Amino acid sequence: MWKYLVKRLLLMALTLFGISVLCFLIVTMAPGDPAAMKAQALASGGQSNLDEQTLRKNQELYYLDRPTFLNTRPPTRTTTVAVTLEELDDEENEYLRKDALARLRGTIGTAALDLLIPELAPRVERATARKAQLDEQFEALRGADAATARTALALEWGRFEPQLPPGSEDAAWADAWERRKPNLVAVVEAPARRLLEVLTGIVGAAGPKLAGDASLDEAREAWASWWSEHAADYGPEQVDAVVDAWLGKGAVPLTEEDAAADAELNALKRVGQLAVPSLMDAMLGAESETTERQAAFGLAAVARKPWDLTIDPKERQGFVNEWETARKARLRSWREAVVKRAEKRADRKLSDAEKAALDYPSDEEILASYPEQEAFVAERVDETLARHRYRWEDWWYRAEEYYVDFSGGRQFTRAFAQTQFGRWFSRLLVFDLGESYKQKRPVSEIIWDAFKKTLQLNVLAILLAYLFAIPLGVYSSVKRGSLGDQVSTLSLFLLYSVPSFWAGAMLILLFTGPPFWEVFPAHHLSSLDAETYTGWGQFTDRLWHLVLPVAALTYGQLAYISRQMRTGMLEVLGQDYIRTARAKGLSQAVIIGKHALRNALIPILTLMGGILPMLFAGSVIIETIFTIDGLGKVFFDSILSRDYPLIMAILMISAFLTLLGILVSDIAYAVVDPRIEYR
Amino acid sequence: MSAAETTEAELSSIPEGESAGQIAWRMFRANSLARVSLVVIHLLFGLAVFAPLIANGRPLFLRAFDTSAYEGDVAAFVDWHARLLDTQRALNQGVGVTQAQRLERDRARFQQGLPRVLRRIGGHLPRVDRADFGLLREDYVAAVGRLELEQIEALGAELTREYCARSALAAYKQAAVPLLEVGPWSESLDDALHDEELQAVARVRSEGAQLAERVASGLAAFARFRTADEQTALGDLAGPLLAGLRSGESGAEPRQLRTWTRELEQALDAAVAQPVPAAAQVLPPVIAFPALRHLSGVEVAFIVLYLLLSGMWLASRVTRTWSGGKRALVLLAPSVVLGGLFHLVCPPTFPPGDSFYKALAVEVARDDTGTSAVVFPLVPFGENENIYQDRHTPPALWEGVQLRAWEAARERASARGEPVEDLPRPPCARRFQEPGEAPLSPNDVRDRWSRLRSHWLGTDGNGRDVLTRLIMGSRVSLSVGFVSVAIYLFIGIVLGAISGYFRGWVDIVISRFTEIVICFPRLPLIIAVMALFDKPSIFYIMGIIGLTSWTEVMRLVRGEFLRLGGLDFVAAARSQGLSSARILFRHLLPNAMGPVFVAGAFGVAGAILVESALSFLGFGVPPPQASWGSVLHDSRGQEQVLWWVTIFPGLLIFVTVTAYNLVGEGLRDALDPRLRQ
């Protein structure tokens, strides 16, 4: 049996992988760019003009700039810097150029210094060579073969060509070109100048001092000598020393003045992004919270991100204020609910005097279940910290390639991991379902909230279905051919054919409104003012709301299960051992209850496998009709708003549950029925 | 009855040499519920096939006077006449060679066309007039032939005037245009700042006399077709206008003229809205079949096929010449063929019924000469015909019941001598009563009720007839079942056969894949995939249901193949050296089809349910189109107000699904010997 189990589990893992691939495929097949949609969803107030920048940022955020399934060139630090340098020289796309500049100066920073400084010399040389060539060409303009030289220049520098009237003198042409020479030189020098700009931006005041009009050669000299002096400052030993010093400090500056005066922090800032990998390691592998906080603070300083793990007094005060506001709102809304209920009972608006005379609970009573300030703040702090940790991990997943040169093995795994699917799947493996585009909350949180409601609905429905279906099936099979059997069989058959959405609509039509009976509420799972009810009141209110949706969910199941039960029971009743039991003179009750029913229940086990996924997302239509904010409705809404993380997560989970259900029912089958052999 | 006895009785009742199919059919026929369901399905398909003839906004038959044809011809004549003159004048002035060639070509066209148009106009005219205009027309045609400009102009003007008798309004309006241009922007003449306005005023002042002539001649032409009373009335109305125009500069204020023109025009418009008795008696009626004309060829073909097959089935029932199996095939065939092909070849939309026909029908109803007639289909509404004032109409029968009850109550009350006005009115009676109107008597209401009776199942929130939409929607709902099931049967059979026959790693791969697909919950998956399409369409629904639901069939077929593969007859076939394909398709597949048929019958019911659910949720057919689910969708959120929109489509879905389920049940009982007890 264990062998069988292990085999099944292995197969299950395979199937799960297949499921995730299929799920991913379905969603990536979708027309429309999710990044664009996401950006549109973000653009508030009807501002939907998306510029390239937002789009690209979003694509990066959702990994849409990566290949779908296989990354043949997984980026590593060297290639990333090279690609960014290429983008820096892109003459066509100004946005790319600016973005590359910002990335080199801001994100990659000192981590690329050792790659960028050697790049300076060739660039300067190239610029010098081109300048010399230019000088020659300009000389030729004044020479004998001026026309040819002019054509050559015009061909090369088309957009700078001066416009002169036809038949102008050679000298005039030469003068005109001469006036444009500074522009040409600027273009020629641009790559080198841009790199210089990057370098100055990275190193800042610590870099070589250069005059504003320094020539390229001077700059190259200055940077070369600076680097020969300071290379050690940016070497691994120095970086490790600085990081260790910072981590060993064990305290973070809470105010800006403190931060400015903090020697270790300043040292860290000077080392810059080079310290990111070791800080990240320190943070992820931190054993104590203090170390983690220390590392995160340093990381936030060098990587220029706002997600440090330090809650300073100002932030804490913000949470306290929040608590205060929420508390006030709760008191107010409670009073309003009391008034509303009284008005509903009286069926008219109440005057102010009457309102004042109402029996309000005291503040203490209302706030009985309200969290204390400390607990509230602690919870918010935990939430914030968790969010920030999540952000750091998320960021590091992509940004690692800026700072680290990966080994061959890691390069290989990254060929699969650095893809859209790889990213989604690797997060799935650690049960990270991502964040909803629309609601800006973690998907798992949304699903859990909705699942709690769906569970109430479906557990009740399934319980009721089995509770009624099994006796009904037994009854009609035992009393086969009787009037009762015929009536129940036919009515169950008809019930089975009733579309559930119609049943829901008919229940609403019949039981919730003026033309017919107004007995049950039509929507939601609780009254609007349910909060003010007592515990028992809330319970009955909930039950009252559940009646119609549960009825609409139950009848189909009921019909199906009892038909299965009847068939199974009939088959069993025809068996020899039942005849034997009868021949032994056993009572009908024992025959049915002990011999027949037990065996007839075995096929029902197969149906049980379907319960798990049904509990999860088996009520999309009913929840939509009855406006219950359960998983079904969440799924439906997420489809309407194309909230892909949510869609994928719900599909994925219910597929997984189906698989689990099949496995469980198979095993149960094998356990219950000894005739079944494991293969 | 014990099992052994049954088998014996069965064995004795089986005729010699009965095939497995015949046995199955006999068993199936014994199931009366399944037989009835088969007939119900057949009738439902009849509803779908004949939908445009049962429910349509266009008349099936129409006999009426085509007044528009005459006016169109006269307009063509006026236009061509003017252009002929222009062309000839241009030619006379002398132009370049190419242009001359073009102009001559045009001229030849007009020269040939004008006599034809004149003949056509003559055909529309009463005989008396035809004789009157005959000479004039001949003169004109002769002048056109000779290209004598002055004569053409003079005769043409005269002809125009005469012909415009019927379309006098157009002529008059043309004449009165300058009058109407006066002062449309400003209240008094002093504010007349716009250039156009000033020009118009100047023109009216200087050309008053000519305008008066033209207006008068248009009016006179128009009056010829009026009764004496109407003529006097028009004369009275036109008198001051004409007088004012004729007096020129010193005459009435142009603004006053405009007011008069307005009034006159309104009077003329009102007069034209009335039928023209004189013309009605002499114009030849036009006979048309608008609903039939809008049938596509494919629809006609399906109607013929349906009638043919139904006829054959009936004939075989009456004469009892055919065996049951053949009859079943004949009964099933139209459903299968129609369901399968309906949507692939003809779009389910039907153009909305033209309001033109409705207006025409009213006119025909007013005609008391008895020469015109209109026959609407049983349900005289188009699929997407919005009648705004009729929205939220409950089913006609329901209104009738309410009104009758009210009437009876009133009678009882009046018999007892109580005041009848105090009785509570049914809501529909209240609906008929305009604000400020005197209370209706039940008789009034019943008249109005009979006018509205046509909405048998009421209307939805857009004023569309629910019954029409249900009938039209049956095409979508019924065909979805068949097509999607055909798709998934195909996929399932192919995959199942391959993995069951070849076994080994092929089986493993296919089975794994099947397991993966099984794991996705069906409805959420279909909804998710449907939402990916920007433009929903019925074909996507068919395809997606087909592509996601094949797993059950695949497992069935695979199981059957695994079972059959071990049997002796397969080994025998192999030992004969038959090819794999032959063994697969000729020996194994026919033996494995039983459970597949059963799954198919249940599958159709399931597919109809899925389509309805999708349409109900709003992912189904695109909005103006109807399917049963989308009609139900129209009642969402206002179930209590539009209870009839909630009940009837659901009922129809329920009946259809039940019928298919019963057929599936019957098939299973017939094909599965284990269950024959």
Side-chain angles (χ1 to χ4, degrees):
Chain A
M1 176 165 181
W2 286 113
K3 211 174 140 194
Y4 170 76
L5 249 181
V6 168
K7 191 180 151 196
R8 278 299 298 260
L9 283 175
L10 280 178
L11 275 180
M12 195 174 140
L14 191 70
T15 316
L16 263 181
F17 182 70
I19 287 172
S20 57
V21 171
L22 199 65
C23 187
F24 185 77
L25 265 182
I26 288 171
V27 178
T28 40
M29 255 171 16
D33 187 353
M37 269 179 236
K38 156 83 171 97
Q40 248 159 3
L42 278 182
S44 53
Q47 282 181 346
S48 60
N49 50 342
L50 303 166
D51 50 10
E52 205 177 344
Q53 193 162 0
T54 341
L55 209 64
R56 198 178 139 122
K57 283 272 179 298
N58 268 311
Q59 279 187 340
E60 278 179 13
L61 194 59
Y62 293 107
Y63 250 56
L64 294 171
D65 54 340
R66 297 288 155 97
T68 317
F69 280 109
L70 185 69
N71 196 346
T72 46
R73 283 180 55 199
T76 180
R77 187 183 70 116
T78 323
T79 51
T80 318
V81 172
V83 166
T84 320
L85 272 176
E86 263 171 42
E87 282 174 5
L88 190 68
D89 290 336
D90 195 319
E91 293 293 335
E92 305 292 329
N93 191 335
E94 197 199 357
Y95 161 67
L96 266 187
R97 219 162 57 213
K98 279 186 179 162
D99 190 53
L101 190 68
R103 196 146 12 122
L104 279 174
R105 285 172 60 164
T107 314
I108 306 179
T110 50
L113 266 187
D114 58 331
L115 295 172
L116 292 179
I117 287 185
E119 181 70 15
L120 187 60
R123 281 183 185 235
V124 171
E125 269 160 33
R126 226 168 15 235
T128 322
R130 289 288 307 276
K131 255 193 319 205
Q133 195 188 346
L134 265 186
D135 288 340
E136 268 174 38
Q137 278 172 317
F138 272 86
E139 245 165 60
L141 271 183
R142 309 258 179 211
D145 206 2
T148 325
R150 220 155 57 214
T151 322
L153 264 180
L155 277 178
E156 195 178 347
W157 300 96
R159 70 193 156 106
F160 291 102
E161 189 186 1
Q163 300 295 320
L164 289 187
S168 302
E169 297 273 317
D170 282 352
W173 275 106
D175 289 342
W177 270 111
E178 203 70 50
R179 279 196 294 280
R180 275 164 182 68
K181 197 174 176 189
N183 294 353
L184 307 192
V185 171
V187 171
V188 162
E189 285 184 347
R193 292 264 175 219
R194 273 201 290 268
L195 187 60
L196 274 178
E197 198 185 334
V198 169
L199 287 174
T200 332
I202 291 173
V203 184
K209 304 284 173 291
L210 277 172
D213 54 350
S215 75
L216 280 181
D217 282 324
E218 288 165 14
R220 182 185 58 179
E221 291 300 321
W223 274 100
S225 62
W226 178 83
W227 183 242
S228 60
E229 279 170 37
H230 290 87
D233 290 352
Y234 295 95
E237 295 85 16
Q238 179 64 21
V239 170
D240 284 349
V242 169
V243 169
D244 285 344
W246 166 252
L247 289 178
K249 190 172 179 229
V252 292
L254 290 179
T255 61
E256 281 176 26
E257 293 87 53
D258 285 352
D262 195 314
E264 283 87 355
L265 186 62
N266 286 334
L268 195 67
K269 276 185 179 162
R270 211 179 55 244
V271 173
Q273 288 84 346
L274 269 174
V276 167
S278 24
L279 279 172
M280 204 70 192
D281 282 347
M283 189 180 86
L284 294 180
E287 273 154 18
S288 72
E289 218 162 280
T290 336
T291 329
E292 189 188 26
R293 201 176 61 200
Q294 193 77 18
F297 195 93
L299 208 49
V302 292
R304 305 179 195 185
K305 298 285 174 202
W307 317 309
D308 57 44
L309 297 175
T310 316
I311 303 291
D312 55 34
K314 220 157 73 184
E315 259 174 292
R316 192 173 289 275
Q317 188 54 44
F319 294 146
V320 171
N321 293 345
E322 210 176 298
W323 175 79
E324 201 71 43
T325 333
R327 195 162 157 271
K328 276 180 196 152
R330 190 184 172 93
L331 287 173
R332 199 172 54 239
S333 73
W334 198 289
R335 300 237 155 79
E336 277 167 8
V338 169
V339 171
K340 208 184 280 170
R341 195 155 40 142
E343 280 180 347
K344 201 179 165 194
R345 212 174 288 140
D347 203 14
R348 67 190 165 83
K349 288 259 174 257
L350 295 182
S351 68
D352 287 343
E354 279 170 319
K355 278 181 193 168
L358 283 173
D359 182 20
Y360 294 107
S362 68
D363 285 7
E364 287 75 44
E365 269 179 87
I366 296 175
L367 295 176
S369 65
Y370 193 70
E372 293 290 318
Q373 182 181 336
E374 270 172 38
F376 182 89
V377 171
E379 192 186 327
R380 294 309 311 270
V381 165
D382 283 349
E383 248 172 55
T384 315
L385 291 185
R387 200 164 57 236
H388 284 182
R389 279 191 199 105
Y390 178 80
R391 294 244 196 279
W392 274 123
E393 279 168 27
D394 202 41
W395 175 77
W396 186 235
Y397 193 79
R398 168 181 273 283
E400 199 177 2
E401 71 203 29
Y402 294 143
Y403 304 110
V404 183
D405 270 324
F406 299 108
S407 62
R410 278 206 73 189
Q411 278 291 86
F412 181 74
T413 48
R414 278 168 61 86
F416 300 98
Q418 292 292 308
T419 57
Q420 291 179 36
F421 177 73
R423 145 96 157 182
W424 179 70
F425 190 69
S426 59
R427 279 164 59 156
L428 197 67
L429 283 181
V430 293
F431 303 109
D432 172 9
L433 296 169
E435 199 174 60
S436 155
Y437 287 1
K438 189 91 176 179
Q439 299 188 36
K440 306 288 291 159
R441 282 165 65 204
V443 166
S444 46
E445 208 178 297
I446 298 175
I447 289 184
W448 177 242
D449 283 354
F451 180 57
K452 281 186 277 193
K453 293 186 180 163
T454 301
L455 203 62
Q456 298 172 11
L457 194 66
N458 287 345
V459 161
L460 218 57
I462 289 171
L463 262 183
L464 281 179
Y466 276 90
L467 219 59
F468 284 109
I470 291 177
L472 210 58
V474 171
Y475 166 78
S476 68
S477 63
V478 171
K479 303 265 174 187
R480 184 166 172 230
S482 70
L483 186 69
D485 171 39
Q486 281 176 0
V487 168
S488 79
T489 309
L490 186 69
S491 54
L492 284 177
F493 187 83
L494 292 182
L495 216 53
Y496 178 60
S497 304
V498 173
S500 62
F501 51 92
W502 185 51
M506 286 301 284
L507 286 175
I508 290 184
L509 163 65
L510 288 177
F511 294 111
T512 66
F516 299 98
W517 305 279
E518 188 168 3
V519 193
F520 299 109
H523 300 290
H524 308 294
L525 267 192
S526 50
S527 302
L528 288 176
D529 55 349
E531 209 178 56
T532 63
Y533 295 175
T534 56
W536 177 249
Q538 276 186 15
F539 179 69
T540 47
D541 178 63
R542 175 59 54 93
L543 272 187
W544 212 233
H545 278 81
L546 275 171
V547 171
L548 291 187
V550 165
L553 271 176
T554 307
Y555 77 90
Q557 282 289 312
L558 173 77
Y560 182 65
I561 297 167
S562 72
R563 277 165 59 79
Q564 294 287 326
M565 192 64 217
R566 181 175 179 269
T567 325
M569 196 71 182
L570 278 180
E571 202 162 310
V572 171
L573 285 178
Q575 298 286 336
D576 288 344
Y577 57 81
I578 298 292
R579 204 165 46 180
T580 316
R582 283 223 173 88
K584 281 200 297 187
L586 292 180
S587 72
Q588 181 77 351
V590 174
I591 293 172
I592 302 298
K594 202 168 173 190
H595 291 73
L597 186 58
R598 280 194 180 178
N599 284 300
L601 277 176
I602 293 177
I604 297 290
L605 277 180
T606 330
L607 298 182
M608 297 259 196
I611 289 183
L612 270 183
M614 209 148 47
L615 283 178
F616 187 68
S619 46
V620 177
I621 295 177
I622 296 298
E623 281 177 20
T624 318
I625 295 177
F626 289 98
T627 340
I628 295 168
D629 299 322
L631 257 184
K633 178 119 193 312
V634 164
F635 183 68
F636 184 74
D637 292 343
S638 70
I639 281 175
L640 285 187
S641 57
R642 304 222 163 159
D643 198 338
Y644 292 123
L646 208 48
I647 300 179
M648 292 215 277
I650 295 181
L651 269 185
M652 201 53 219
I653 294 178
S654 41
F656 171 70
L657 286 178
T658 317
L659 199 60
L660 204 66
I662 294 174
L663 179 74
V664 168
S665 83
D666 276 3
I667 291 172
Y669 217 101
V671 168
V672 171
D673 191 346
R675 286 169 297 183
I676 292 169
E677 46 186 292
Y678 308 107
R679 264 186 296 140
Chain B
M1 210 196 294
S2 77
E5 266 175 296
T6 324
T7 326
E8 227 162 78
E10 254 177 40
L11 280 175
S12 61
S13 70
I14 294 175
E16 295 260 330
E18 205 179 15
S19 73
Q22 280 167 328
I23 298 173
W25 168 239
R26 211 164 37 71
M27 299 298 299
F28 183 75
R29 268 194 57 200
N31 186 341
S32 56
L33 272 177
R35 263 165 70 202
V36 170
S37 309
L38 217 53
V39 174
V40 168
I41 292 169
H42 185 76
L43 290 179
L44 280 171
F45 268 101
L47 198 70
V49 169
F50 288 103
L53 301 184
I54 300 173
N56 200 333
R58 296 185 185 77
L60 290 170
F61 167 75
L62 176 73
R63 190 175 59 209
F65 300 100
D66 192 354
T67 48
S68 63
Y70 175 83
E71 309 222 340
D73 285 342
V74 168
F77 164 70
V78 173
D79 180 38
W80 288 8
H81 167 72
R83 282 165 69 182
L84 176 73
L85 287 178
D86 288 349
T87 319
Q88 186 57 34
R89 278 194 196 114
L91 275 171
N92 289 352
Q93 276 171 8
V95 285
V97 182
T98 354
Q99 208 186 344
Q101 276 174 354
R102 191 172 53 77
L103 288 173
E104 273 165 17
R105 242 193 340 269
D106 283 355
R107 190 183 61 190
R109 201 154 57 84
F110 296 136
Q111 265 181 304
Q112 285 165 7
L114 276 169
R116 267 211 312 275
V117 171
L118 285 174
R119 260 202 306 285
R120 269 217 309 272
I121 297 175
H124 296 307
L125 281 175
R127 195 155 297 149
V128 203
D129 291 344
R130 222 182 286 171
D132 278 358
F133 297 151
L135 286 173
L136 198 58
R137 193 177 78 199
E138 276 162 28
D139 287 350
Y140 178 79
V141 170
V144 166
R146 290 195 301 274
L147 288 171
E148 290 164 351
L149 264 188
E150 279 102 56
Q151 221 175 341
I152 293 176
E153 198 168 1
L155 289 168
E158 205 169 330
L159 266 178
T160 312
R161 206 160 46 242
E162 298 295 343
Y163 284 153
C164 284
R166 281 295 286 114
S167 54
L169 193 60
Y172 161 74
K173 277 185 177 166
Q174 212 177 342
V177 164
L179 289 177
L180 284 173
E181 277 173 7
V182 174
W185 300 285
S186 44
E187 275 308 299
S188 78
L189 200 57
D190 302 331
D191 322 332
L193 297 173
H194 291 270
D195 283 353
E196 295 93 332
E197 205 173 351
L198 289 172
Q199 279 168 14
V201 170
R203 201 158 69 232
V204 168
R205 285 206 165 132
S206 61
E207 302 173 5
Q210 285 141 294
L211 270 176
E213 272 321 300
R214 274 157 61 191
V215 170
S217 70
L219 275 176
F222 183 74
R224 281 193 48 195
F225 279 86
R226 299 282 122 191
T227 58
D229 288 350
E230 280 174 338
Q231 280 181 18
T232 353
L234 276 179
D236 290 350
L237 209 56
L241 172 70
L242 293 177
L245 278 174
R246 288 200 180 105
S247 54
E249 295 274 341
S250 58
E253 277 259 313
R255 257 187 72 225
Q256 184 60 49
L257 292 179
R258 176 170 160 253
T259 317
W260 283 332
T261 317
R262 272 272 165 78
E263 283 169 6
L264 189 59
E265 224 181 75
Q266 277 158 10
L268 287 173
D269 279 335
V272 168
Q274 301 293 327
V276 188
Q281 271 157 15
V282 280
L283 283 184
V286 178
I287 292 177
F289 302 91
L292 291 179
R293 217 179 51 208
H294 281 89
L295 284 183
S296 67
V298 188
E299 278 172 321
V300 174
F302 275 125
I303 289 176
V304 170
L305 189 70
Y306 187 84
L307 287 178
L308 208 70
L309 291 174
S310 304
M312 277 160 71
W313 177 69
L314 267 181
S316 75
R317 259 201 99 79
V318 172
T319 58
R320 302 209 158 265
T321 46
W322 286 359
S323 73
K326 273 187 195 153
R327 230 172 35 223
L329 265 186
V330 168
L331 191 60
L332 273 175
S335 312
V336 175
V337 173
L338 292 174
L341 293 179
F342 225 80
H343 274 288
L344 300 182
V345 281
C346 75
T349 43
F350 203 73
D354 313 9
S355 54
F356 165 69
Y357 290 113
K358 290 283 155 65
L360 199 71
V362 172
E363 222 167 285
V364 168
R366 269 205 225 135
D367 175 20
D368 48 5
T369 58
T371 38
S372 32
V374 59
V375 177
F376 273 97
L378 205 57
V379 190
F381 298 99
E383 183 188 5
N384 193 26
E385 187 177 317
N386 296 299
I387 308 173
Y388 192 68
Q389 64 270 26
D390 272 6
R391 70 201 210 283
H392 295 181
T393 311
L397 210 64
W398 177 249
E399 286 203 319
V401 168
Q402 284 182 317
L403 289 170
R404 264 163 216 279
W406 181 42
E407 194 182 357
R410 280 169 70 106
E411 270 168 21
R412 277 199 306 277
S414 64
R416 285 198 301 272
E418 292 165 8
V420 291
E421 266 67 35
D422 298 345
L423 282 172
R425 275 155 209 282
C428 52
R430 217 170 282 143
R431 196 159 57 81
F432 293 137
Q433 189 185 351
E434 309 294 332
E437 214 180 9
L440 291 163
S441 85
N443 282 335
D444 285 349
V445 174
R446 214 194 285 157
D447 264 4
R448 296 196 183 198
W449 169 55
S450 64
R451 183 166 58 77
L452 282 164
R453 182 162 38 190
S454 39
H455 290 302
W456 290 356
L457 296 188
T459 59
D460 64 9
N462 289 327
R464 296 176 293 194
D465 186 68
V466 170
L467 183 55
T468 303
R469 282 177 71 74
L470 287 183
I471 291 174
M472 288 302 189
S474 66
R475 303 179 135 204
V476 173
S477 299
L478 289 176
S479 56
V480 161
F482 264 107
V483 178
S484 46
V485 168
I487 294 173
Y488 79 64
L489 282 190
F490 179 77
I491 301 176
I493 288 174
V494 168
L495 288 183
I498 290 175
S499 76
Y501 182 76
F502 292 105
R503 310 190 184 189
W505 63 267
V506 181
D507 182 29
I508 290 176
V509 169
I510 296 181
S511 297
R512 275 314 97 193
F513 181 60
T514 313
E515 190 166 299
I516 291 170
V517 178
I518 285 176
C519 283
F520 285 100
R522 191 149 152 254
L523 193 66
L525 179 66
I526 291 175
I527 296 177
V529 178
M530 256 333 271
L532 303 183
F533 295 105
D534 285 333
K535 287 182 194 149
S537 136
I538 189 65
F539 301 111
Y540 292 145
I541 299 185
M542 293 172 175
I544 288 164
I545 297 179
L547 287 177
T548 48
S549 315
W550 49 267
T551 49
E552 190 200 348
V553 177
M554 181 269 168
R555 298 223 293 192
L556 272 178
V557 174
R558 175 173 171 269
E560 283 291 300
F561 269 58
L562 285 178
R563 184 175 67 82
L564 294 170
L567 295 187
D568 289 343
F569 76 98
V570 180
R574 267 207 203 99
S575 67
Q576 279 182 342
L578 296 184
S579 68
S580 285
R582 196 176 164 82
I583 296 175
L584 253 173
F585 290 112
R586 296 297 296 275
H587 295 266
L588 283 171
L589 200 55
N591 281 304
M593 285 307 278
V596 175
F597 276 135
V598 178
F602 285 120
V604 172
I608 291 176
L609 275 180
V610 169
E611 188 276 330
S612 311
L614 279 179
S615 294
F616 175 75
L617 292 175
F619 292 117
V621 288
Q625 258 185 52
S627 85
W628 294 339
S630 73
V631 176
L632 198 54
H633 173 80
D634 292 338
S635 80
R636 263 191 75 186
Q638 35 185 348
E639 286 93 353
Q640 285 113 353
V641 189
L642 297 173
W643 54 265
W644 53 93
V645 191
T646 311
I647 292 178
F648 297 118
L651 219 53
L652 214 49
I653 300 171
F654 169 60
V655 167
T656 314
V657 170
T658 312
Y660 274 113
N661 276 340
L662 282 172
V663 169
E665 190 98 327
L667 272 180
R668 189 173 62 190
D669 289 351
L671 288 170
D672 190 349
R674 266 193 317 138
L675 290 172
R676 276 184 223 156
Q677 289 173 10

